[in-house]
Amino acid sequence: MAEKIRVTPFWGCMIPVKYPQMELSVRKTMEPIGVELVDLEGFTCCPDPIYFKARDKIEWLTIAARNLCIAEEAGLDIITMCSGCTSTLLEVRFLLAEDQELKDKVNEKLKKVGKEYKGKVKVKHIVVMMRDDLGIERVKASVKRPLTGINVGIHYGCHLLKPSQIMGIDDADYPSILENLIQAIGANPLTHTEKLLCCGKGCIDDEMPIDMTYEIFASMEEANVDCMGLICPTCFNSFDMGQIIIARKKEREFKMPVIYYCQMLGLAQGLKPEEVGLHMHRIKIDKIMEMISKPKKVNVAV
Amino acid sequence: MSDKKLDFDFRERLNKISGGSHHNYCYQCGSCVAICPAARFNEDFNPRDILLKTLLGKKEELIGENSIIWKCTNCYSCYERCPQDVRPIEVIIALKNICREDGVLPETVDKFSETISQTGRSVVVNPTVNRRRSSLGLPELQNVPVDDIKKMLE
Ligand code: SF4
Ligand code: SF4
């Protein structure tokens, strides 16, 4: 039996509060592939890398550093389930390593709550942990019902990859991590023109985010995608709820199921849609379930 | 010709904010514009132009709750592309920090941030949230140590 991986999950705000189905899917799928999730007490919002950072960067750095300290004290590395949390925690880690003066300033504030940031803790998005620590083969080995024939339109989102100087995860222009993970569960990652376009969520404008998500849907539709696969709750909001808004504002219904990667993994591991909370999505995934349950003559992935 | 005078005070101020000083490296090549989604979807937005205005110290055109800088989607593509390590998005964020210092932050940004400072979370937990969680067999959410946040930020 391969060695177990022990990490602390940093859930952030969006997942546990708005999209608990994603938390459920992570809790259900990680155990069978050898990941032990050690929940720690005391984490707060990462905090948010868009508005909160725009208001006061030093406050942003300080709160993030406090979160990092909690894992550091417990001697555990962090896995993140949200690209926003990944962005904040990795960037703060980078900035505090790059700039000693800044680190001193932040530690001065941390002292008030009896903490000191040393810079030892590592942070990885869950998909990176799967690729680098667990290995794609172990993900593959957990599959009982490969999602054969399902064309997944990947949406990378911005904050997993960029800036690559900080994230160090993949090539920002030609990434492959999600393609490989989608293949591991038997599905077919389809490329489409707007695969790397931003969902627009961070932009303060009434029109632009809608125009941007619209382009992404149009591009996926053209590529004959069956469902959209992503790894970030904020992007999910833009695309699941976003389709309701697009239908209202642009009078166009895409009816594109949007699925978080660990929910997809759960389905491939044989879990029912409700067991990974797929019944909670605005855009129904029935079409995908029909495709999965159709009897197929395929070799089960080993 | 007062409009040709550079406002060095503004640039000095920006230099002191984390991420702000890299604006000095910009040589106006426009690589950031080619990759910028906000520029693609809004012809008034142009990161090269924001950097030029910054270099010229045109504070009035950059600082304000309706400034064009708020249309940036925070995608980090410009950071990825810039050959000069300007990290344009970080300069834009430093400009936003100045908006806060000058009391001209958009209300959405302030309200959202205040929720984090006051509750420790960006989304408020109410009984419906915990009901939905328990319907999935997940534990109720506990309060987060917001007093720690308040102490650090005071
Ligand atoms: S910010 Fe960088 S990429 Fe943009 S114009 Fe200046 S030097 Fe060129
Ligand atoms: S971070 Fe902002 S300025 Fe930079 S490329 Fe993205 S939208 Fe444009």
Side-chain angles (χ1 to χ4, degrees):
Chain A
M1 181 71 197
E3 210 187 311
K4 241 192 170 77
I5 290 173
R6 286 184 91 231
V7 282
T8 183
F10 185 92
W11 298 108
C13 302
M14 288 285 277
I15 290 183
V17 183
K18 282 192 86 165
Y19 303 120
Q21 65 268 35
M22 295 178 186
E23 178 179 335
L24 182 70
S25 71
V26 171
R27 292 194 187 278
K28 286 249 167 96
T29 54
M30 286 301 108
E31 196 64 30
I33 57 178
V35 180
E36 184 186 347
L37 303 174
V38 186
D39 279 281
L40 294 176
E41 266 176 38
F43 287 137
T44 63
C45 179
C46 59
D48 150 67
I50 317 255
Y51 290 177
F52 198 83
K53 183 181 177 191
R55 190 170 76 155
D56 192 315
K57 196 160 169 188
I58 298 294
E59 292 187 352
W60 172 77
L61 282 154
T62 307
I63 297 177
R66 183 189 159 281
N67 283 324
L68 292 170
C69 285
I70 291 173
E72 205 165 70
E73 284 161 12
L76 286 165
D77 287 338
I78 288 176
I79 58 161
T80 47
M81 271 55 66
C82 159
S83 300
C85 299
T86 316
S87 171
T88 286
L89 297 179
L90 277 178
E91 194 190 339
V92 168
R93 216 177 155 271
F94 173 85
L95 290 174
L96 297 182
E98 184 186 59
D99 186 342
Q100 182 64 38
E101 217 176 292
L102 198 61
K103 189 173 163 193
D104 293 343
K105 205 167 172 180
V106 166
N107 268 329
E108 207 48 52
K109 291 183 188 289
L110 287 172
K111 218 196 244 165
K112 295 189 200 167
V113 293
K115 298 207 181 298
E116 187 195 348
Y117 174 70
K118 300 196 178 75
K120 295 212 181 88
V121 60
K122 290 202 187 80
V123 179
K124 282 180 186 162
H125 190 290
I126 186 167
V127 294
V128 180
M129 181 273 291
M130 281 191 250
R131 181 193 65 183
D132 296 349
D133 301 334
L134 206 59
I136 300 270
E137 286 309 312
R138 267 163 92 180
V139 177
K140 227 182 203 170
S142 74
V143 172
K144 298 199 183 95
R145 177 174 63 178
L147 308 188
T148 316
I150 296 186
N151 291 323
V152 181
I154 295 172
H155 175 74
Y156 264 95
C158 300
H159 295 156
L160 179 75
L161 303 173
K162 295 172 289 187
S164 53
Q165 178 193 27
I166 295 175
M167 307 313 283
I169 290 170
D170 210 335
D171 189 304
D173 297 316
Y174 301 99
S176 60
I177 178 168
L178 296 183
E179 280 80 354
N180 292 337
L181 282 166
I182 300 270
Q183 268 162 357
I185 56 175
N188 179 30
L190 267 198
T191 204
H192 61 103
T193 331
E194 306 293 0
K195 184 169 81 175
L196 296 173
L197 180 60
C198 171
C199 74
K201 195 78 184 171
C203 166
I204 304 182
D205 191 86
D206 293 337
E207 314 277 320
M208 289 162 68
I210 300 170
D211 292 344
M212 292 165 81
T213 42
Y214 184 92
E215 282 306 313
I216 294 170
F217 281 123
S219 140
M220 283 193 302
E221 198 176 72
E222 202 182 284
N224 282 320
V225 155
D226 298 313
C227 70
M228 184 173 195
L230 44 68
I231 52 152
C232 170
T234 301
C235 297
F236 177 80
N237 178 276
S238 293
F239 294 111
D240 189 52
M241 189 58 206
Q243 281 181 73
I244 313 281
I245 300 169
I246 287 179
R248 208 171 52 223
K249 299 228 168 160
K250 300 236 182 217
E251 290 173 17
R252 173 115 182 243
E253 283 190 77
F254 286 101
K255 296 201 174 122
M256 180 81 71
V258 187
I259 312 182
Y260 184 70
Y261 180 75
C262 288
Q263 291 179 305
M264 248 183 243
L265 173 61
L267 291 178
Q269 287 178 350
L271 297 172
K272 296 193 192 85
E274 306 79 52
E275 289 178 289
V276 287
L278 280 160
H279 59 293
M280 292 174 130
H281 294 197
R282 304 295 293 252
I283 307 298
K284 295 299 160 213
I285 63 136
D286 301 359
K287 173 175 114 187
I288 302 300
M289 287 319 293
E290 268 166 40
M291 292 176 78
I292 296 176
S293 32
K294 243 188 242 149
K296 287 173 286 236
K297 274 191 231 140
V298 287
N299 298 323
V300 174
V302 207
Chain B
M1 296 283 279
S2 64
D3 62 332
K4 288 216 173 135
K5 232 177 82 201
L6 302 188
D7 181 353
F8 282 111
D9 290 347
F10 178 66
R11 287 178 60 181
E12 270 311 310
R13 195 174 155 200
L14 189 60
N15 285 341
K16 292 204 184 78
I17 295 182
S18 169
S21 69
H22 285 227
H23 83 271
N24 294 294
Y25 311 149
C26 175
Y27 57 23
Q28 290 289 297
C29 68
S31 303
C32 50
V33 186
I35 195 87
C36 172
R40 174 177 158 196
F41 287 86
N42 182 339
E43 55 185 29
D44 295 332
F45 188 93
N46 181 320
R48 185 197 52 73
D49 191 49
I50 291 174
L51 261 301
L52 179 61
K53 287 182 174 135
T54 306
L55 287 164
L56 296 173
K58 294 196 168 174
K59 185 183 167 206
E60 329 67 58
E61 291 180 45
L62 297 167
I63 304 304
E65 53 191 305
N66 296 317
S67 161
I68 194 77
I69 60 173
W70 297 103
K71 308 280 176 205
C72 163
T73 75
N74 292 262
C75 75
Y76 285 88
S77 297
C78 52
Y79 188 131
E80 191 66 29
R81 266 305 172 282
C82 175
Q84 282 292 96
D85 198 31
V86 171
R87 307 178 181 176
I89 175 171
E90 299 295 342
V91 174
I92 291 174
I93 287 168
L95 291 167
K96 289 174 174 176
N97 282 183
I98 292 187
C99 291
R100 202 265 179 119
E101 287 179 3
D102 289 0
V104 289
L105 209 57
E107 205 192 329
T108 17
V109 177
D110 200 30
K111 262 202 182 150
F112 182 86
S113 305
E114 211 38 36
T115 306
I116 298 174
S117 310
Q118 295 305 322
T119 70
R121 284 201 177 98
S122 62
V123 203
V124 178
V125 177
N126 57 33
T128 317
V129 168
N130 277 323
R131 258 201 313 276
R132 290 180 79 218
R133 286 182 61 85
S134 49
S135 80
L136 295 176
L138 293 169
E140 280 199 4
L141 291 174
Q142 304 302 316
N143 287 336
V144 296
V146 67
D147 289 345
D148 269 19
I149 292 187
K150 289 181 180 162
K151 250 188 249 165
M152 294 190 303
L153 304 189
E154 89 199 349

